[in-house]
């Protein structure tokens, strides 16, 4: 039933491309970085800054050496990096309070309480990993409160991975996180993920069980998917987890239909919650925001270096999940994958 095949080769059991069969296989995915350090784009603010590029190389090497199960190296951030973080933190927290969804805000409070989030400190991934597992707080000599989270984990990555490798991590409740800080010249928008984006945008919602489940299901659907289906899943990921919005139940009512974006929508997408520039563009201006309908979403182009030309909303995570399930049920793979949480591996079953 299960047979080990070399990454990069076709999989003998399924006839499709190799994919990770256990959480340990993510070490292989993590090494296939598309661009980092020396490969920075010519129009990247850090391109001409030699010191910045050297620092990026250091982060790249740390991430490439990392193996699943090890503690995540703690970074000693420079004064300049901490200053950039502080500037962004102050600005974003103001905007979050106005525009972020409730689940995000509640969990962000917990990050501030338990993970060293503050404008003066860049949190460490290792502390967040522990938090996401669940934590216990002493209430008195014989009493403690255990707060279960989602078991999502983060692990360092050197830069962009292919959508296939990146989504595969989600199948195992693993989120690949950069640890470097964006260049100080452009604090309110970066085309690349950086640690500010991961920490300010993504982390809070990985503590939410429904959101974690939704994320994992995209990941599981991506394992061994055809090129065409993979592209669709990556686009669905992009317009939900990165750029998604939600609306309360009254958003479609005639009363509210003509309300401004900031009256109608709450944001949950990390790409918006980590970019003061794009967040304001999406909710304070007159950006196009349409209902999240997978058949429509997959037609939308994902823009990497500029603001998106449209955004999508659902009422809540449950709606996003139901729509995603209906959509992925129609994707055909010649096998079934079954996630085993005890061994953190997937079983691949023949579907013929
Ligand atoms: N544009 C986002 C930001 O500036 O934080 C990063 C997006 C990464 C996909
Ligand atoms: Fe992201």
């Amino acid at each position: 039933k299960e047979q080990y095949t070399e990454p990069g080769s076709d999989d003998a059991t399924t006839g499709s491309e190799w994919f990770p069969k256990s959480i340990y296989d993510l070490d292989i995915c993590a090494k296939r970085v598309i661009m980092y350090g020396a490969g920075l784009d010519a129009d990247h603010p850090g391109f001409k800054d030699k010191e910045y590029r050297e620092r990026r190389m250091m982060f790249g090497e740390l991430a490439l050496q990392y193996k699943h199960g090890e503690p995540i190296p703690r970074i000693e951030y420079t004064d300049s990096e901490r200053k950039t973080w502080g500037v962004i933190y102050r600005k974003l927290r103001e905007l979050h309070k106005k525009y972020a969804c409730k689940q995000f805000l509640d969990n962000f409070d917990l990050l501030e309480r338990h993970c060293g989030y503050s404008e003066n400190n860049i949190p460490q991934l290792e502390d967040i990993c522990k938090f996401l597992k669940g934590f216990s707080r002493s209430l008195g000599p014989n009493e403690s409160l255990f707060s279960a989270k989602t078991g999502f984990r983060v692990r360092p990555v050197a830069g962009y991975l292919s959508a296939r490798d990146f989504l595969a991590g989600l199948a195992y409740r693993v989120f690949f996180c950069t640890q470097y800080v964006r260049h100080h010249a452009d604090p309110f928008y970066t085309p690349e993920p950086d640690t500010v984006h991961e920490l300010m945008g993504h982390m809070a919602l990985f503590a939410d069980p429904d959101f974690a489940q939704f994320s994992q299901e995209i990941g599981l659907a991506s394992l061994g998917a055809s090129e065409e289906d993979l592209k669709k899943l990556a686009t669905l990921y992009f317009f939900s987890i990165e750029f998604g919005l939600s609306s309360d139940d009254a958003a479609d009512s005639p009363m509210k239909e003509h309300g401004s974006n900031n009256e109608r929508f709450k944001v949950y997408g990390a790409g918006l919650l980590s970019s003061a520039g794009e967040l304001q563009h999406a909710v304070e201006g007159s950006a196009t925001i349409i209902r999240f309908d997978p058949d429509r979403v997959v037609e939308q182009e994902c823009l990497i270096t500029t603001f998106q030309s449209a955004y999508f909303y659902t009422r809540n995570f449950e709606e996003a999940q139901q729509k995603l399930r209906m959509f992925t049920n129609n994707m055909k793979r010649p096998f079934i994958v079954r996630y085993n949480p005890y061994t953190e591996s997937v079983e691949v079953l023949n579907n013929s």
Side-chain angles (χ1 to χ4, degrees), residues 131-231:
F131 165 80
L132 290 175
K133 252 208 137 29
F135 59 94
S136 161
R137 193 156 45 103
S138 168
L139 297 177
N142 297 313
E143 215 189 336
S144 70
L145 175 82
F146 176 68
S147 175
K149 292 291 168 244
T150 62
F152 240 90
R153 287 177 224 238
V154 296
R155 60 174 289 161
V157 71
Y160 266 119
L161 297 178
S162 70
R164 193 179 282 284
D165 285 327
F166 182 78
L167 294 180
L170 296 179
Y172 296 91
R173 296 204 170 209
V174 170
F175 193 73
F176 290 103
C177 269
T178 53
Q179 281 187 296
Y180 55 81
V181 178
R182 64 190 62 188
H183 194 267
H184 54 80
D186 213 347
F188 298 140
Y189 180 85
T190 162
E192 283 182 303
D194 74 326
T195 208
V196 180
H197 166 67
E198 324 287 16
L199 297 168
M200 297 300 290
H202 282 291
M203 291 304 111
L205 281 178
F206 284 126
D208 180 85
D210 294 326
F211 186 83
Q213 185 64 30
F214 172 74
S215 306
Q216 183 175 23
E217 286 182 21
I218 295 186
L220 287 167
S222 79
L223 298 177
S226 68
E227 278 308 311
E228 197 188 336
D229 286 346
L230 195 103
K231 185 162 178 288

Side-chain angles (χ1 to χ4, degrees), residues 91-100 245 259-267 272 275-289 307 311:
K91 177 80 180 162
L92 281 179
R93 289 309 285 150
E94 234 173 75
L95 294 170
H96 285 174
K97 282 172 191 143
K98 288 199 260 180
Y99 304 133
L245 295 96
S260 55
N261 285 348
N262 63 19
E263 289 165 34
R264 294 183 60 202
F265 301 105
K266 292 287 181 197
V267 177
L272 291 174
S275 168
E278 189 158 7
L279 180 54
Q280 288 180 295
H281 159 79
V283 290
E284 291 180 357
S286 50
T288 305
I289 303 178
F307 294 169
Y311 305 90

Side-chain angles (χ1 to χ4, degrees), residues 280-301:
Q280 288 180 295
H281 159 79
V283 290
E284 291 180 357
S286 50
T288 305
I289 303 178
I290 44 193
R291 193 73 179 237
F292 183 91
D293 168 24
D295 289 313
R296 167 66 184 81
V297 176
V298 297
E299 300 297 319
Q300 190 71 25
E301 194 190 343

